[in-house]
Amino acid sequence: MVIKVGLGQIKPALGDVKRNLETHLKVIEQAAAANVDLLVFPELSLTGYYLQDLVPEVALDPENSDVLQQLIDLSHRTNVDLVVGFVEVAADYRFFNSAAYLSQGRLVHIHRKIYLPTYGMFDESRYLAAGEVLRAFDTRFGRMGILICEDLWHPSTLYLMAHDGAHVLIAVSASPGRGLRRPDQLGSAYAWESINRSAAQSYMLYVVYVNRVGFEDGAMFSGGSELVDPFGRCLVKAKTFDEDLCFGEIDALEVRRARTLYPLLRDERLDLTLRELQRIYARRHQLE
Amino acid sequence: MVQDPDTPVEKFNPALATESITRFIRDEVTKVGFTRGVVGVSGGIDSAVVAFLTARALGAENTYCISLPYKKHDPSARADAEAIAHALGAPFQTVDIAPMVDAYFAHFPEADHIRRGNVMARMRMIVLYDLSRVHRALVIGTSNKTEALIGYTTLWGDMAAALWPIGDIYKTEVRILARFLGVPERIISKPPTAGLWEGQTDEGELGMSYEEIDAILVELVDKRIPKDVLPERGFDREKVERVYEMMRASQFKRRMPLLPKVSTRSINHDFKYKRDWGR
């Protein structure tokens, strides 16, 4: 099966869900016109990133949200599967940095960001609760996994997604560009390319990386969204700094071919990993 | 690694800096409903670079270059300021602040050069903010990372601005940026001066070159090397202490005024919203 993916590299407004929804609707129409099967928006695409005290104000309850319902309905009407980023309020009033997979009028999966960066220029744990579940999930286009930004800087998340069966890793981010000491590109852009290529070729899966653009109080979200194939090759690269909508193809046979040529997942010693992790865990927490 | 702070300043990429900063200016100016900027152009390298960057971001016709000389000081500064605006094809205006400053100090003839320098910097702020209203423009600041970190600035004077385009760029990097942008060599190579009194130079007053200061700041700020370790790495202990102390003592200039936290939610304490709220 070959599917067409769209990388919706948008510039969300900070804390203005209504305006951001309009942006989503516009891009979805464009993607639908281009016969896209799966359209991915960046981290917190409906809200913007540096929300701070706006978190409770912009949070959506997936069980009862007009905004999400509009997008769910649109996934049905346009036949485009969608990944959107938002602040999720849980029944117990914890707030999560979440991304939802919507398909054919259904909410298929929500990933709650697990690793909330709270250092340097980041302060997420002050405002948000960390997700506690990491699962791949089935879509009509095969099994996928969603990770959000900092999640990808913890290789264990990639490992678990791959071994939970994901063929496509949807990686959404709101990554501020920085680092002016490389000849060709921002230091942060270089770091992301390394991570995406390494993830793809270590686990023989597609990486659909979608980063946002625009500024929030001088933090410069730098775009550079990309589609990387299971051999670690970049197939599509979105613009740096500018809004963009670009398309690429995901071919299930390429995953099969990569995993046939490099049967690394087959050879993985889950039992060994588990055993050693249990030992390390016990030692780290002084349970022995 | 996102940023490799061990990479030397020579690797500073001015093209990437220009791209990032011009986009920053354009984005942060236009999303608050403006299209123009005013830049106080002194004839020095910092304001020249900011004028060039603003012109790239907003168009030269939208970059109001304002020369604010105090008449007796450095007559070449005024000509250099005009040369910058001319090179850009940007609107240029001169406002001599001497009558305003002199009128004020007629009341305080005994005032020393620090007071006079501060009043000049704040008078320039008054004029720039007033003209920003006239031109429906934002004040684009010219503070660089070096002077902001060591506090070599006047609070509510030259620090007052809507944006600091080179606020994360060290002075030594500003020079690289200036060459890339095509700032006239004369302006790049003349000794930096705050223009606070006749014959004043930054490096003379600070007792260190900007190369020395920046090298120490990179260790302390970017690389987070403890200051006590720097002498082992070949830095002069006395200079390290001096830079660290300047940075510590000037922290108040980089923060908003303090207010007592007595209620549930208090500005600057736990009422947290970005300036770009809703933008």
Side-chain angles (χ1 to χ4, degrees), chain A residues 205-223:
Chain A
L205 42 67
Y206 279 95
V207 175
V208 183
Y209 171 73
V210 181
N211 187 23
R212 60 161 291 184
V213 293
F215 287 79
E216 287 179 3
D217 279 26
M220 170 180 70
F221 302 99
S222 59

Side-chain angles (χ1 to χ4, degrees), chain B residues 113-125:
Chain B
H113 66 250
I114 302 282
R115 281 180 69 187
R116 288 177 190 274
N118 282 339
V119 166
M120 281 180 224
R122 293 185 180 120
M123 193 57 73
R124 292 188 174 108
M125 177 276 290

Side-chain angles (χ1 to χ4, degrees), chain A residues 2-228:
Chain A
V2 177
I3 65 164
K4 186 171 181 180
V5 293
L7 314 181
Q9 183 172 293
I10 62 169
K11 179 168 81 174
L14 182 59
D16 191 340
V17 176
K18 188 163 169 280
R19 181 143 49 113
N20 293 329
L21 178 63
E22 284 164 18
T23 305
H24 282 64
L25 301 184
K26 212 166 57 189
V27 176
I28 292 166
E29 294 300 339
Q30 289 168 20
N35 292 314
V36 163
D37 297 300
L38 167 62
L39 173 61
V40 180
F41 289 100
E43 176 181 12
L44 294 175
S45 60
L46 284 166
T47 61
Y49 181 71
Y50 280 107
L51 293 161
Q52 301 181 304
D53 284 354
L54 288 169
V55 161
E57 203 171 309
V58 301
L60 306 176
D61 173 3
E63 304 290 315
N64 183 22
S65 159
D66 291 344
V67 172
L68 285 177
Q69 195 54 51
Q70 275 195 61
L71 292 164
I72 290 168
D73 292 345
L74 207 54
S75 74
H76 176 66
R77 184 169 70 70
T78 60
N79 202 32
V80 179
D81 285 12
L82 302 171
V83 175
V84 299
F86 65 108
V87 176
E88 177 191 357
V89 56
D92 57 5
Y93 303 118
R94 284 183 298 165
F95 301 99
F96 296 96
N97 178 340
S98 295
Y101 190 102
L102 318 175
S103 175
Q104 300 185 304
R106 283 194 316 124
L107 197 166
V108 174
H109 180 80
I110 288 179
H111 172 69
R112 294 170 167 176
K113 187 175 187 176
I114 292 172
Y115 291 105
L116 304 176
T118 305
Y119 56 84
M121 67 190 297
F122 306 108
D123 207 11
E124 290 185 35
S125 289
R126 179 183 165 88
Y127 305 99
L128 296 159
E132 285 154 345
V133 179
L134 207 133
R135 299 279 157 81
F137 58 98
D138 291 312
T139 75
R140 61 183 172 133
F141 304 124
R143 201 159 167 82
M144 302 188 186
I146 297 177
L147 293 174
I148 304 177
C149 206
E150 188 85 356
D151 288 341
L152 281 102
W153 289 72
H154 293 259
S156 55
T157 62
L158 305 165
Y159 181 92
L160 291 170
M161 283 300 186
H163 289 287
D164 200 22
H167 289 189
V168 176
L169 184 67
I170 295 167
V172 297
S173 79
S175 172
R178 54 214 190 276
L180 296 176
R181 301 264 167 110
R182 295 189 66 83
D184 49 345
Q185 62 181 347
L186 292 166
S188 52
Y190 174 76
W192 274 110
E193 288 186 358
S194 308
I195 285 176
N196 295 337
R197 283 154 182 65
S198 159
Q201 68 183 340
S202 297
Y203 298 111
M204 284 63 61
L205 42 67
Y206 279 95
V207 175
V208 183
Y209 171 73
V210 181
N211 187 23
R212 60 161 291 184
V213 293
F215 287 79
E216 287 179 3
D217 279 26
M220 170 180 70
F221 302 99
S222 59
S225 303
E226 59 184 5
L227 173 64
V228 182

